[in-house]
Every structure is written in C-alpha cells, then in structure tokens.
Amino acid sequence: MPGDNQLNGAINVGLITNRNGKVGRKDLDDLYRFNLSGRSSLGVSLSKISKKAKVGVEVYRLKRPLEEVRANVGNIDFSQLDSSDRSTNFELIRSTKAGNPKGARIAINSLDSGDYVIRIRQSGKLDSKYRLSLVGALLPEDPIPTPDPIPTPDPTPIPDPIPTPDPTPTPNPTPTPIPDPGNSLATAYPIAFPFTTQNGSVNDGDQQDYYKFSVPSAGMGDYKFDLSGLAANANVEILDINGGVIKTTTTLGSQSESLLVPLDEGSYFARVFQGAPSAVSNYSLNMSLLTDGFTGSVAGGEPTASPLTPTATLGVLATNYVLDGAKNSKEDLFKIVVAPTERKFLNLELKGIAGGSLTGNLDVELFGADGFSPTPNTSILKSSRSGNSAEVFGGTLDEGTYYIRVKPGTVGTREGSEYSLAMSLNNRSGVPAITRDINYGKIQNFDDNGNPTTQTGNSSDAKLLTKVGGLAYFSANDGTDTALWKTDGTLKGTQKLKSFSDSPSNFTEANGFLYFTGNDGSTGTELWRSDGTASGTVLVKDLRTGSDGSSPASLTGAGGRLYFLAKALASGAEQFYRTNVAGTDIELVPLPPIDPLNPVYGVGNLAFYNNTLYFSAEQNAGNMGSSLGSGKELWTINNAGGASPGVPTMQDLRPSGSSAPSEFVVAANGNLYASASLSGSTFSLVKINGSSATSNASGVRNPKNFVAVGDTLYFSGTTTNAGTELWKLDTTNDQASLINVASDVSTFGTTSSNPRSLVAVGTSVYFFANASDGTGEGLWKVDSGSTNPTQVSIADMTIADITKRMGTSPDDLVAIGNTLYFSAGNDAKGRELWSYDTATTTMKLIDINTQADLATPGITFSSNPGRLTNIDGALYFIADNGLDGIELMSL
C-alpha cells in the first residue's frame, strides 16, 4: 500500500486482526497502528514468510499524542527517521530478530493505554510476503475496595424548632448584558507593545481569543510568536488591521506552535483558537523580536559571506533565522574553504534550534564562485526537502572556496524558520570518498535477540556506473525515487537528472550522449538520452505507445548514431533501429529481404570498428523447409555512424551453415578478427577478409577476452593438450603462441588457468588466472615478445601475516596510468579495494569498510567494491563503507 512505510499511511487495525502484506528492497517497512483504550494484553504473530527472506517485527508506543507525532514525522519513511526523531516520538517496547523464515512471535502481558505502532521490517534483499496476526484484550481493572462503614451513634433528641414566618419575596434583578471580551475583532483584548506573555484558555464555550497591538515605526522588524503550555490542539494566527490573515500555524496535537512574521508600522491582531473540536487547553502566547546574526546574501556577493571552519566532528556552527519577506534576514550566506591539494568529505545538516524540527520550509544551496552568476546555474547543488524536514548534504569537496546559502523554501508565502547549521569536514586526500551521500540517513540494526544495536547508513543502491566524456552516469535512489544521476566526483557535481518508475538501464555512449532505457511511468520502457543536464535528459521517441513500451536492447554506439533492437510492433516482434545523427529521431535499419515474407531477423553481437558496424543475423533459416537460408552470418554497414550509412550487406563466411560470428576485435594493423564457426560446432579465431574468413590459431577453441597491444592480439582459448590458457597472435604473420600459465608453475598437465580480465598497461598485459598449485587465483602479467608469464602476488606489503594478506576471487581489473585497481577478498579485512603499482611493484589493500573490522574477532565486513571505472584518470566505483550504505565513490 503506498505510504504504509510512513506513520500517516499506517494501516489502522484492531486487537483481533489478520492481514497479508509484502516488504522488499523498494518497500522496507509496513506500519500498522492501533489504540488501546485501557490496560491490555497483546499477542503478535508473523507467519508465512517467504523462504530465505529476513523479516522482523517491532512494537512501539507513541511517546506523544498521535496527532502531534503525525505532524512531526508522519510523512517521513520510518527507516529514514534519524535517532533524535525516533527517540523523541517512539518508545521501542519489543522486537524480534529479522531472519527466521518460520515466523516471529511476541507476547506482552500488559500494555498501558495509548497509541501504538507495529513495524514489519525487511533486513535482507529479497521481496517477502507475510501474514500478520494480532490478538489481545482489555484487562480487568483492579476493584476499588469499599471502606468499612463508620458507626453512627444514637442521635440525641432535638426539640421541634419554632416556626419562622416566610420572608417577603424579593424580585430577581434583570441582568445587564456584558460583551464577551476577546471573542471577536471588535472585543479584542488591547495589549501594549511589545506585549508580555499573555495567558488564557480555549474550550468549546470559549473557542478563540483575540489580542490587539500596535507596532510603532521604531519597532518594525521580524517577530516570533510562540504558543506553548498546550494540553490539546490550539493554533495562533496574526491578522492585519482589517482582519486579513497574515500567517497561521497548523501544527497538530499539543505540540508548541511557532511562527515568524515580518511586521511594519501599524495595528495587528493575534488570535488563539481551538485546533480541533472539543480541544480544551490553557496556553501562553509570547512575542519576541528576532535578531539577525548573519547578514550575508547572494545579492551582496562574496564579501558578505560569513566564514565557517568545520572540524572533523559534526557540530553546530551557526544559528539564526531566515524568512521570506523579512525586514532583516531574507537569507544567509556562509563560506568554507578546502585548502589546495586537499580533498575533504562534508557532512551538513540544517535543522531547527537544538536539533528539533524546522518550523517552516527552508532550503540549502552549495556552490562555488560560479554560483554568483545572475543566470540560472545548474552547478548549484540544492537540498530542498518539503515541509519542515531537515536539509542535509554529504559528499566530497575538492580544493576551493565554497558557499552555503540558507533561504526560504518558497517565495511569496512568508515562509521561514529559526535554524541551526551543523557541519563537519574530514580529510579524504588520497583515499576513497563518497561523491555524494545520496540516501542520507541511518538504519537501525538489531542483534540476534531483536534488540537495537548499531546504526548503518541508508543505501542509494547505486548501479550501472558508466563513463561518457568526463562524467560518470549511474542509477540511484535517494529515498524518494529511483533516478538517473551524474557526477564529476564531487558533491557539487553530483546531481539528479531525471526520475523513473524503475531503474534506468542499458547505459551506452554514442556521439557524446548517454543513451539508456527507462520508464517514466507513462510511456513504458523506451529509449532516452542525456547530455548531462536535467533539461537535456529527454525521451528520444515513444516507439510503442502505451504502458508496454518497446523495450530497446543491444544498444551499440556507432559514431554519430545509436543502433539497437526494439519491439515496436503490436505483435512484439523485434526489429532493428537506429537514431539519426542528431539523436532526435529513430528510423528502421533497412535490412533487405530475400523474399517479402522473410526479412532478416535474429540481429545480435553488434560491434562498431573503423566506422563500420558488424553484426550477426539470419535470413530465412527454417522457413517452411526453405533452402534459401544462409544461417547466422556476418553483416556489415559501412559508414554506419555517418549521415548516409551504407546498405546492410551479408558476408557469408560459411555457405554450408551458420558461422555465428562474435567477439569482434580490430588489431593495430586494421585486420578484423572474430570468434566464428567455419565448420562443425567448433568456434575458432578467424580473420575476416571481405566476404570470406581464414582460420588462425588452428586447434584453439572458443577464443574470447581479446585485448590488442600493438600488432599482438592476446586472448584466452582452449586446446585438448593445454586446457583453457592465454594465447597471443602476431597479426603481422598470424602466428599463434601459447602462454601456458598452469604448466609454468605446476605439473597438472591440462589443468586450465582460465585467464580473464585482460588489461594492457604499456606493452604488457595483466590478467587474472589460477595457477592450479593450491595458491588460488592471482594476478599475472606477460610482457611483449614473451611467452613466459610471471605471477604478481595479491598481497598487501604492509601486512606481515602472510595468511591474512593473500587476496581471493579478484575481479574488476582496471588500469589508470601505471596503477591497476581491482577488488578481492582478504581473511582479515573482507572483500575490499586493491591497487598495484606496475612501476614500483607495490601491492596495497585499501580498506574502505573499517567500521566493523574492530568488532568481533574472526568476523570480517566488506565494502564489496564493484563497477570500477576509469574516468579521465580518476577511479570511480560503487561500495559500502559501513557508515553510509551503498554509494558511488571516487579516488
């Protein structure tokens, strides 16, 4: 149910309840709310939990009246509540461990009257169905003992009284009507300015009180009105001399009310009134003049910015107020500096005074000197949560001067609030840092008994990191929705571009644009592109109208165009498409049919080299017994990325059957190689010459993992005698040589080393392979001109214990200059980031998730770095540092 992970969307249930529900990766919580009118027993049962799912139950009592809590945190996802909001509003009564697939039970013998919340929480990554059952009953109240009667003594006889004559009756006087003071503008209580605290009460018989005051010219300014001491819901509003409302508070429950109002010279009214029928409450109304502690503004420029010096510990650096239409403080401007050559991680939190909620909607902006441009500047980073929510930032700042602007969230509504600005800056020079903590906040963790323990960060679930130009694009969820994001590695440069109903996918670069598939909730899954701006992230074309979408696939950039497959027809048949050079429209690729009923189909294995698109496709294979079929063969389109692409042409490499070419690669001398089947079912390395192909490296099956270094082509392949090993091909004479990793270090004969992740650094090739001597998979290299590989131990030179420094299951090998980066496991540190300097032969383990390594001996926690990507000489990847969840990081 939408919103059932928020208090305002919680399902209201009774003490006898059976309900089915579901939680998962995108819906972490389900909330149920119930009220106890008296002392009661309660039984909670969770059953029919999906296999392997991790689901638990928590029972909370509301510490404050329901309406007050709803007004404060009712629209915030329960998992997003910070520790102060949770402890202020909720008391954890009982919880169960999340992870028992057989179910969970809670039995509570006695609960006091009040409002309660049951939270069904998901602690794993699997969607899970469940059945919640509640049973409970009011407990009998202890009877009040009746005191023993007090004996009454016998009365003494009293003589009859002497009769008194009736007095002469006096007629009742006619009452004089007295106006009810304070109940209207005409009868408002007059008070002096500035007025002292006014005390009163509201109830059904006296629902409102008016006060009248006048502001002299010398008293003009920004004022705060506080309504406190409430036992029930009451509000305050300020009116002009004609009774027009200037501003009103609407906070629910008995929570104190505050509002900020700019006042000119003139007369005004303050009205205190019931916030709900039958609300009975005393109150205290106070008025105070606000003092502007910081006078900086964007209009005033850099000289007006107040310098702040954050430390490594999060702390409040400034308290003030801002107010739309204010006399004195329309906004505030602050300045922080990151020194040259430094790189720091910023945490910023804008909350109400003393860490409470803001009383009005405020926003925060972060920018450099470019932010003073009078035109709209997309490099300005904004935190603009709705309502009274705190505004937060977390991310990396490179050297430079930065400005922080605190301003009203809306203009023209006199929106404003007092605030406290807290920040911290931590040095991240030379170490991985989160570019921006997209899903800012913490999640409560529980021990095996269901008791709350530590807190970990919310995850944005960043994924699909892809380089386009000097930017990295990725998909992430900020706790509100899933969207396309971009980053340049800094907090200011990490921005949301476009929200989608599902995660965008198939990220592909073409002509300097990012192309991808996405569903915006109305068109179905279609082709989109982005130029790195929100306005430039657009739907290319709605190929298949309706909610189904055309589901584009096999996206391949070809110079100025994008080629892809899509199901635009109502039948769902897949067709071959491409964009125009401008990328603004889509056209069918004109594949010629042999006969009108049998066009080319089965397009796949798209590759673009030397302005030619190579792909495999079939014609008429299996058509009603037709003998015209060519099988799956090589097709080419010359000038594929240009304005006038050539006609698709088939190269029949195997006239007697299907060659099914794939793994296309072009060597430095321009020769085209591929994996193809020229006879039987064996795939071998072939060189393509026009419409024919010649087999190279005879006897080497299933070639793949190609990497070209000059005139030499390296690849993995399988032979009967050597197993799957590394090979190289001299493309000047097409002579192949075996680089047998396994036979060099063992006597296992045909045992395979299974080389993979080939990466060229200079004239050398590095790769992962298994030596098969019991040491496990390692990092290897082979130099140009050599067939003798050497092993590079995956070991951190700074760790003395050899049993704890060997890496396991290495992956994601990427080269940046002379340095290789990859992820691998470690006995002491878990799965972390590693680096190897090929010039100094220094190996280093970069421990990102250090938080839990200090906990229980023998238990390791991993950051699990993945999607390692070289973007303009910097390393970008996705990992979990143990504090902030799964986020995008850079080094």
Side-chain angles (χ1 to χ4, degrees):
M1 176 180 292
D4 60 5
N5 53 359
Q6 302 172 354
L7 181 60
N8 284 346
I11 302 169
N12 196 9
V13 296
L15 280 185
I16 306 297
T17 296
N18 289 286
R19 297 192 68 98
N20 296 325
K22 179 182 177 181
V23 287
R25 296 186 65 184
K26 295 183 179 180
D27 182 14
L28 297 176
D29 307 289
D30 281 351
L31 299 185
Y32 297 88
R33 177 171 58 85
F34 64 94
N35 175 268
L36 298 180
S37 59
R39 191 167 58 91
S40 305
S41 63
L42 178 68
V44 183
S45 175
L46 195 67
S47 60
K48 296 185 178 179
I49 301 173
S50 301
K51 188 176 181 181
K52 296 184 179 181
K54 294 183 178 181
V55 183
V57 184
E58 300 162 12
V59 179
Y60 292 89
R61 182 182 66 84
L62 271 61
K63 289 184 176 181
R64 299 193 290 177
L66 173 62
E67 292 307 315
E68 186 174 328
V69 178
R70 292 178 66 175
N72 189 25
V73 298
N75 290 322
I76 302 175
D77 289 358
F78 200 92
S79 61
Q80 303 283 329
L81 294 175
D82 57 33
S83 57
S84 61
D85 281 338
R86 190 172 296 195
S87 62
T88 300
N89 295 285
F90 301 93
E91 175 189 359
L92 180 62
I93 302 298
R94 198 75 58 84
S95 64
T96 69
K97 176 183 177 181
N100 187 352
K102 295 182 179 180
R105 294 180 181 275
I106 292 176
I108 304 175
N109 293 329
S110 177
L111 288 175
D112 292 333
S113 62
D115 289 299
Y116 291 82
V117 168
I118 292 178
R119 177 192 182 197
I120 311 299
R121 75 175 190 276
Q122 161 72 303
S123 295
K125 295 184 177 181
L126 298 175
D127 291 344
S128 175
K129 296 180 180 179
Y130 65 83
R131 183 173 179 83
L132 174 67
S133 300
L134 299 184
V135 61
L138 286 170
L139 298 175
E141 297 292 340
D142 294 332
I144 300 174
T146 303
D148 294 335
I150 301 174
T152 303
D154 294 335
T156 302
I158 299 174
D160 293 336
I162 299 172
T164 302
D166 294 334
T168 303
T170 303
N172 292 326
T174 302
T176 302
I178 300 175
D180 188 1
N183 277 1
S184 65
L185 292 173
T187 61
Y189 295 107
I191 51 179
F193 176 87
F195 65 70
T196 57
T197 300
Q198 304 295 311
N199 297 313
S201 64
V202 289
N203 51 64
D204 288 340
D206 185 11
Q207 298 177 357
Q208 59 187 4
D209 290 336
Y210 282 89
Y211 299 91
K212 183 178 181 180
F213 61 96
S214 296
V215 177
S217 60
M220 293 189 300
D222 303 319
Y223 287 87
K224 178 184 178 184
F225 293 85
D226 288 311
L227 189 68
S228 59
L230 303 178
N233 190 3
N235 296 320
V236 60
E237 65 183 9
I238 306 302
L239 305 92
D240 61 26
I241 189 60
N242 297 313
V245 176
I246 299 175
K247 199 169 185 180
T248 304
T249 62
T250 56
T251 303
L252 300 176
S254 58
Q255 187 176 355
S256 296
E257 312 269 350
S258 293
L259 55 79
L260 276 56
V261 183
L263 296 179
D264 289 314
E265 178 183 5
S267 295
Y268 299 89
F269 296 93
R271 175 189 175 226
V272 181
F273 59 97
Q274 280 183 303
S278 302
V280 178
S281 178
N282 293 330
Y283 67 80
S284 294
L285 176 64
N286 185 63
M287 173 188 190
S288 58
L289 177 65
L290 295 169
T291 301
D292 184 10
F294 300 95
T295 58
S297 67
V298 170
E302 192 276 342
T304 66
S306 299
L308 300 177
T309 307
T311 64
T313 303
L314 187 68
V316 175
L317 301 181
T319 57
N320 199 31
Y321 77 97
V322 293
L323 175 63
D324 177 45
K327 298 298 178 184
N328 299 310
S329 187
K330 294 182 174 65
E331 67 178 35
D332 284 335
L333 186 67
F334 302 96
K335 176 172 66 176
I336 59 174
V337 177
V338 177
T341 73
E342 287 189 342
R343 187 169 185 252
K344 293 195 172 184
F345 187 84
L346 169 71
N347 274 313
L348 180 151
E349 295 183 355
L350 185 80
K351 295 185 175 182
I353 299 298
S357 298
L358 297 167
T359 58
N361 186 8
L362 300 185
D363 288 348
V364 179
E365 295 178 348
L366 176 76
F367 54 88
D370 51 2
F372 293 102
S373 171
T375 58
N377 193 326
T378 58
S379 69
I380 294 177
L381 181 64
K382 297 180 181 180
S383 176
S384 53
R385 295 184 176 184
S386 61
N388 300 353
S389 300
E391 304 295 341
V392 293
F393 281 138
T396 302
L397 298 178
D398 288 333
E399 63 178 77
T401 300
Y402 297 88
Y403 300 90
I404 298 161
R405 181 189 188 192
V406 181
K407 65 187 191 70
T410 51
V411 177
T413 60
R414 296 187 176 92
E415 192 70 74
S417 176
E418 292 179 294
Y419 68 83
S420 59
L421 177 63
M423 284 188 286
S424 65
L425 270 179
N426 287 276
N427 185 32
R428 304 304 292 169
S429 300
V431 297
I434 294 174
T435 60
R436 176 178 177 179
D437 190 354
I438 289 175
N439 195 354
Y440 194 96
K442 303 295 180 183
I443 296 175
Q444 181 68 57
N445 296 319
F446 297 82
D447 62 19
D448 290 343
N449 297 319
N451 299 315
T453 54
T454 59
Q455 287 187 330
T456 54
N458 289 322
S459 291
S460 72
D461 198 23
K463 61 183 66 173
L464 299 177
L465 175 62
T466 301
K467 175 187 183 301
V468 178
L471 295 176
Y473 292 85
F474 60 102
S475 166
N477 190 309
D478 60 3
T480 303
D481 53 33
T482 298
L484 174 70
W485 289 72
K486 71 159 185 182
T487 184
D488 62 2
T490 68
L491 171 59
K492 191 164 66 74
T494 305
Q495 298 181 351
K496 180 191 288 190
L497 298 178
K498 172 72 178 177
S499 297
F500 291 90
S501 58
D502 294 311
S503 294
S505 58
N506 296 309
F507 288 14
T508 306
E509 189 273 337
N511 199 26
F513 293 93
L514 173 74
Y515 286 87
F516 62 98
T517 58
N519 183 350
D520 64 356
S522 60
T523 62
T525 301
E526 293 290 353
L527 183 68
W528 293 71
R529 80 167 190 178
S530 178
D531 63 0
T533 67
S535 61
T537 302
V538 295
L539 176 70
V540 179
K541 188 173 184 178
D542 190 358
L543 273 176
R544 185 178 183 181
T545 58
S547 59
D548 288 340
S550 65
S551 299
S554 299
L555 278 63
T556 303
R561 294 176 180 261
L562 181 84
Y563 287 75
F564 62 99
L565 307 176
K567 300 175 182 178
L569 300 177
S571 64
E574 198 167 57
Q575 294 178 285
F576 197 17
Y577 291 90
R578 65 188 173 204
T579 62
N580 61 2
V581 173
T584 57
D585 203 358
I586 292 173
E587 63 186 32
L588 271 170
V589 177
L591 293 173
I594 288 179
D595 63 65
L597 298 178
N598 293 281
V600 174
Y601 69 100
V603 173
N605 298 307
L606 280 69
F608 180 69
Y609 296 106
N610 294 343
N611 204 27
T612 299
L613 184 74
Y614 299 89
F615 61 96
S616 60
E618 290 190 67
Q619 246 188 346
N620 299 352
N623 174 38
M624 302 292 290
S626 171
S627 61
L628 298 175
S630 63
K632 203 169 191 69
E633 286 300 338
L634 175 68
W635 287 74
T636 60
I637 300 177
N638 295 325
N639 193 32
S644 302
V647 176
T649 303
M650 183 184 73
Q651 317 295 326
D652 197 353
L653 304 182
R654 184 181 177 185
S656 60
S658 295
S659 66
S662 62
E663 302 279 348
F664 298 107
V665 61
V666 174
N669 58 10
N671 291 331
L672 174 67
Y673 294 84
S675 173
S677 174
L678 299 186
S679 64
S681 60
T682 300
F683 282 80
S684 60
L685 178 65
V686 300
K687 180 168 70 173
I688 299 170
N689 303 291
S691 61
S692 64
T694 57
S695 178
N696 293 273
S698 177
V700 181
R701 305 185 304 273
N702 301 321
K704 56 185 177 180
N705 298 313
F706 293 108
V707 62
V709 179
D711 292 330
T712 303
L713 191 64
Y714 292 86
F715 61 97
S716 65
T718 304
T719 63
T720 302
N721 295 328
T724 302
E725 295 296 338
L726 186 68
W727 290 76
K728 72 174 183 177
L729 180 75
D730 186 340
T731 61
T732 61
N733 56 24
D734 288 336
Q735 295 296 310
S737 303
L738 171 66
I739 304 173
N740 194 329
V741 171
S743 64
D744 286 342
V745 294
S746 71
T747 58
F748 292 112
T750 59
T751 300
S752 300
S753 70
N754 295 312
R756 60 186 179 84
S757 300
L758 278 63
V759 171
V761 179
T763 58
S764 299
V765 172
Y766 290 82
F767 57 96
F768 296 129
N770 194 330
S772 302
D773 63 351
T775 60
E777 199 170 24
L779 179 63
W780 293 73
K781 83 162 184 173
V782 61
D783 296 321
S784 176
S786 173
T787 58
N788 296 316
T790 58
Q791 184 175 17
V792 177
S793 296
I794 300 178
D796 185 343
M797 303 303 182
T798 65
I799 300 178
D801 188 348
I802 187 67
T803 64
K804 293 185 177 181
R805 60 191 177 110
M806 296 303 295
T808 58
S809 302
D811 205 357
D812 274 329
L813 187 64
V814 62
I816 299 181
N818 291 323
T819 302
L820 291 169
Y821 294 94
F822 59 95
S823 64
N826 176 268
D827 291 343
K829 301 295 184 180
R831 189 168 191 84
E832 294 294 346
L833 182 68
W834 295 71
S835 68
Y836 177 71
D837 189 324
T838 61
T840 64
T841 68
T842 301
M843 184 76 71
K844 183 179 180 182
L845 186 155
I846 304 170
D847 193 6
I848 297 171
N849 189 344
T850 62
Q851 303 305 309
D853 293 338
L854 304 176
T856 305
I859 298 179
T860 59
F861 294 82
S862 304
S863 68
N864 294 312
R867 201 82 179 190
L868 277 62
T869 305
N870 178 0
I871 300 180
D872 287 354
L875 177 69
Y876 289 72
F877 58 97
I878 295 166
D880 183 351
N881 65 4
L883 291 174
D884 304 293
I886 300 171
E887 299 289 350
L888 179 66
M889 306 187 79
S890 63
L891 174 62

